[in-house]
Short mmCIF file of all heavy atoms in Angstrom, two decimals:
data_model
loop_
_atom_site.label_atom_id
_atom_site.label_comp_id
_atom_site.label_asym_id
_atom_site.label_seq_id
_atom_site.Cartn_x
_atom_site.Cartn_y
_atom_site.Cartn_z
N ALA A 1642 -2.82 -12.52 5.02
CA ALA A 1642 -4.19 -12.65 5.53
C ALA A 1642 -4.91 -13.72 4.71
O ALA A 1642 -5.02 -13.59 3.49
CB ALA A 1642 -4.93 -11.32 5.43
N CYS A 1643 -5.38 -14.75 5.35
CA CYS A 1643 -5.94 -15.93 4.68
C CYS A 1643 -6.86 -15.58 3.51
O CYS A 1643 -7.66 -14.64 3.58
CB CYS A 1643 -6.72 -16.78 5.68
SG CYS A 1643 -5.69 -17.44 6.99
N ASP A 1644 -6.73 -16.35 2.44
CA ASP A 1644 -7.54 -16.19 1.23
C ASP A 1644 -9.02 -16.45 1.55
O ASP A 1644 -9.38 -17.57 1.93
CB ASP A 1644 -7.02 -17.18 0.18
CG ASP A 1644 -7.81 -17.11 -1.12
OD1 ASP A 1644 -8.74 -16.28 -1.23
OD2 ASP A 1644 -7.47 -17.88 -2.04
N PRO A 1645 -9.89 -15.45 1.40
CA PRO A 1645 -11.31 -15.66 1.68
C PRO A 1645 -12.11 -16.17 0.48
O PRO A 1645 -13.29 -16.52 0.62
CB PRO A 1645 -11.79 -14.26 2.07
CG PRO A 1645 -10.94 -13.35 1.25
CD PRO A 1645 -9.60 -14.04 1.08
N PHE A 1646 -11.46 -16.18 -0.69
CA PHE A 1646 -12.17 -16.56 -1.91
C PHE A 1646 -11.92 -18.03 -2.23
O PHE A 1646 -11.22 -18.38 -3.20
CB PHE A 1646 -11.77 -15.65 -3.07
CG PHE A 1646 -11.90 -14.17 -2.72
CD1 PHE A 1646 -10.90 -13.27 -3.06
CD2 PHE A 1646 -13.01 -13.70 -2.03
CE1 PHE A 1646 -11.01 -11.93 -2.73
CE2 PHE A 1646 -13.12 -12.36 -1.68
CZ PHE A 1646 -12.13 -11.47 -2.03
N LEU A 1647 -12.48 -18.87 -1.37
CA LEU A 1647 -12.37 -20.32 -1.51
C LEU A 1647 -13.78 -20.90 -1.52
O LEU A 1647 -14.68 -20.39 -0.84
CB LEU A 1647 -11.57 -20.92 -0.36
CG LEU A 1647 -10.14 -20.40 -0.17
CD1 LEU A 1647 -9.56 -20.95 1.13
CD2 LEU A 1647 -9.26 -20.77 -1.36
N THR A 1648 -13.96 -21.98 -2.26
CA THR A 1648 -15.27 -22.62 -2.33
C THR A 1648 -15.73 -23.10 -0.96
O THR A 1648 -16.92 -23.10 -0.65
CB THR A 1648 -15.22 -23.81 -3.32
OG1 THR A 1648 -14.76 -23.33 -4.59
CG2 THR A 1648 -16.60 -24.43 -3.51
N SER A 1649 -14.77 -23.48 -0.10
CA SER A 1649 -15.12 -23.94 1.24
C SER A 1649 -15.72 -22.82 2.09
O SER A 1649 -16.46 -23.07 3.05
CB SER A 1649 -13.89 -24.51 1.94
OG SER A 1649 -12.85 -23.53 2.01
N ILE A 1650 -15.41 -21.56 1.73
CA ILE A 1650 -15.94 -20.40 2.44
C ILE A 1650 -17.18 -19.87 1.74
O ILE A 1650 -18.18 -19.54 2.37
CB ILE A 1650 -14.87 -19.30 2.57
CG1 ILE A 1650 -13.70 -19.80 3.42
CG2 ILE A 1650 -15.46 -18.02 3.17
CD1 ILE A 1650 -12.54 -18.84 3.49
N ASP A 1651 -17.11 -19.78 0.42
CA ASP A 1651 -18.23 -19.26 -0.38
C ASP A 1651 -18.50 -20.21 -1.54
O ASP A 1651 -17.82 -20.14 -2.57
CB ASP A 1651 -17.89 -17.86 -0.90
CG ASP A 1651 -19.06 -17.20 -1.62
OD1 ASP A 1651 -20.10 -17.87 -1.79
OD2 ASP A 1651 -18.93 -16.03 -2.03
N PRO A 1652 -19.48 -21.10 -1.42
CA PRO A 1652 -19.75 -22.11 -2.45
C PRO A 1652 -20.18 -21.52 -3.79
O PRO A 1652 -20.17 -22.25 -4.80
CB PRO A 1652 -20.88 -22.94 -1.83
CG PRO A 1652 -20.82 -22.67 -0.36
CD PRO A 1652 -20.32 -21.27 -0.23
N LYS A 1653 -20.54 -20.24 -3.82
CA LYS A 1653 -20.94 -19.63 -5.09
C LYS A 1653 -19.74 -19.46 -6.03
O LYS A 1653 -19.91 -19.33 -7.24
CB LYS A 1653 -21.61 -18.28 -4.85
CG LYS A 1653 -23.00 -18.41 -4.22
CD LYS A 1653 -23.67 -17.06 -4.10
CE LYS A 1653 -25.10 -17.21 -3.53
NZ LYS A 1653 -25.79 -15.91 -3.44
N TRP A 1654 -18.52 -19.42 -5.44
CA TRP A 1654 -17.31 -19.34 -6.25
C TRP A 1654 -16.87 -20.75 -6.62
O TRP A 1654 -16.56 -21.57 -5.75
CB TRP A 1654 -16.20 -18.61 -5.49
CG TRP A 1654 -14.79 -18.92 -5.93
CD1 TRP A 1654 -13.80 -19.45 -5.16
CD2 TRP A 1654 -14.20 -18.73 -7.22
NE1 TRP A 1654 -12.64 -19.60 -5.87
CE2 TRP A 1654 -12.85 -19.16 -7.16
CE3 TRP A 1654 -14.68 -18.24 -8.44
CZ2 TRP A 1654 -11.99 -19.12 -8.24
CZ3 TRP A 1654 -13.82 -18.20 -9.53
CH2 TRP A 1654 -12.49 -18.63 -9.44
N VAL A 1655 -16.86 -21.02 -7.95
CA VAL A 1655 -16.50 -22.35 -8.44
C VAL A 1655 -15.33 -22.22 -9.40
O VAL A 1655 -15.49 -21.79 -10.56
CB VAL A 1655 -17.69 -23.03 -9.16
CG1 VAL A 1655 -17.28 -24.42 -9.66
CG2 VAL A 1655 -18.90 -23.11 -8.24
N PRO A 1656 -14.10 -22.53 -8.95
CA PRO A 1656 -12.94 -22.47 -9.86
C PRO A 1656 -12.99 -23.60 -10.87
O PRO A 1656 -13.41 -24.71 -10.55
CB PRO A 1656 -11.75 -22.63 -8.91
CG PRO A 1656 -12.29 -23.32 -7.70
CD PRO A 1656 -13.72 -22.93 -7.58
N GLU A 1657 -12.56 -23.27 -12.10
CA GLU A 1657 -12.59 -24.26 -13.18
C GLU A 1657 -11.21 -24.55 -13.76
O GLU A 1657 -10.92 -25.68 -14.15
CB GLU A 1657 -13.53 -23.78 -14.29
CG GLU A 1657 -14.99 -23.66 -13.83
CD GLU A 1657 -15.89 -23.04 -14.87
OE1 GLU A 1657 -15.36 -22.45 -15.85
OE2 GLU A 1657 -17.13 -23.12 -14.72
#
Side-chain angles (χ1 to χ4, degrees):
C1643 297
D1644 179 1
F1646 308 136
L1647 302 172
T1648 304
S1649 58
I1650 296 174
D1651 185 356
K1653 289 185 177 181
W1654 157 240
V1655 180
E1657 296 173 346

